[in-house]
Amino acid sequence: MVDLSTSIAGVHLPNLLFNASGVCCQTTDDLKQMQDSASGSLITKSATCAQREGNPSPRYVPLPTGSINSMGLPNEGYQYYLDYAKSYDYSSPKPLFISLSGLSLAENKTMCEAFVAAKLPCVLEINFSCPNVPGKPQLGYDMEAMEAALNTLAPILRQPFGIKLPPYFDIAHFDAAAAIFNKFDDLAYVTCINSVGNGLAIDFETETALIKPKDGFGGLGGFMVLNTALANVNAFHRRLPTKKVIGVGGVTSGKEVFLHVLAGASAVQIGTTLKEEGPAVFARILKELEEIMEKKGYTSLEDFRGKVKTL
């Protein structure tokens, strides 16, 4: 038997898999499916202060090698997820992660203050990979604004928390972001990556964009982003020696989970494949991962985590 347990932000997960925020997590019914699944944890939909309908449909379309989406942060508003967190059964072996994605720093401050005041044992994750101020890049691409946000939020949280990151494509950006993250002791982990932004999928027959928002531009996910995800996981694993990395992107089977751990991930989230297959995907992929580890002679994740060889 192999041990698939792990820990993030000081909490124990019976296994390393859970949903990527944005999939199977918007309503209590969605979250009940996650609770009933074989996942090791669950995370809520990224919340804004007010409820949002999100962008017009079609806003998500599966592709032969993944998916494209421009959801527009549909969510029930942070009070909905705060109420859920208050009612959550914390005797469950699955820890609860709460994703917050304010449309401004003030929104994030308000939401963090509300969750801290509730004194709940859930883990907060701030999403820095959604558009923030109109006309500005995602917060994760604005190093000064990201550091300013952490300078504001970390003293409010005063507990282990995480941040969700967009994909970075330049070594200098890995270095700059890591230098910021290493300044904050309570920043316990980073989750990478969010979708690869602003792809365009076109129907060959109709010569039309496949999704409606943003003239068809949307985030790419699924298998096609695996290698970008692995690079980001490994880059931050190397640069954040006292923090952990949650890998997300490109997981269709146990093999990709194994690669994420090999690159340095302590836990792995599933998005597009969960959206397409439903929560039964966790049992399948855990079984595949166990078989891979047994075949390779590994008995725990620590046996190979971060141990990718280079030429």
Side-chain angles (χ1 to χ4, degrees), residues 8-30:
I8 299 288
V11 296
H12 178 267
L13 284 66
N15 71 67
L16 75 165
L17 296 185
F18 57 118
N19 59 312
S21 180
V23 185
C24 202
C25 62
Q26 183 168 340
T27 66
T28 54
D29 287 343
D30 294 334

Side-chain angles (χ1 to χ4, degrees), residues 135-215:
K136 296 245 182 173
Q138 296 181 37
L139 197 61
Y141 290 146
D142 186 332
M143 298 293 167
E144 288 184 7
M146 187 162 60
E147 184 167 6
L150 287 169
N151 276 323
T152 297
L153 300 176
I156 295 169
L157 294 171
R158 289 179 298 166
Q159 62 192 36
F161 70 97
I163 53 175
K164 178 75 171 283
L165 297 174
Y168 295 102
F169 303 97
D170 195 299
I171 298 298
H173 294 156
F174 291 132
D175 292 340
I180 293 169
F181 304 152
N182 280 321
K183 294 179 182 180
F184 298 91
D185 291 342
D186 286 335
L187 176 54
Y189 73 92
V190 297
T191 299
C192 47
I193 59 173
N194 207 332
S195 56
V196 175
N198 293 317
L200 177 62
I202 301 171
D203 184 289
F204 174 75
E205 297 299 333
T206 67
E207 304 176 12
T208 306
L210 290 181
I211 60 172
K212 184 172 184 178
K214 293 170 61 178
D215 294 325

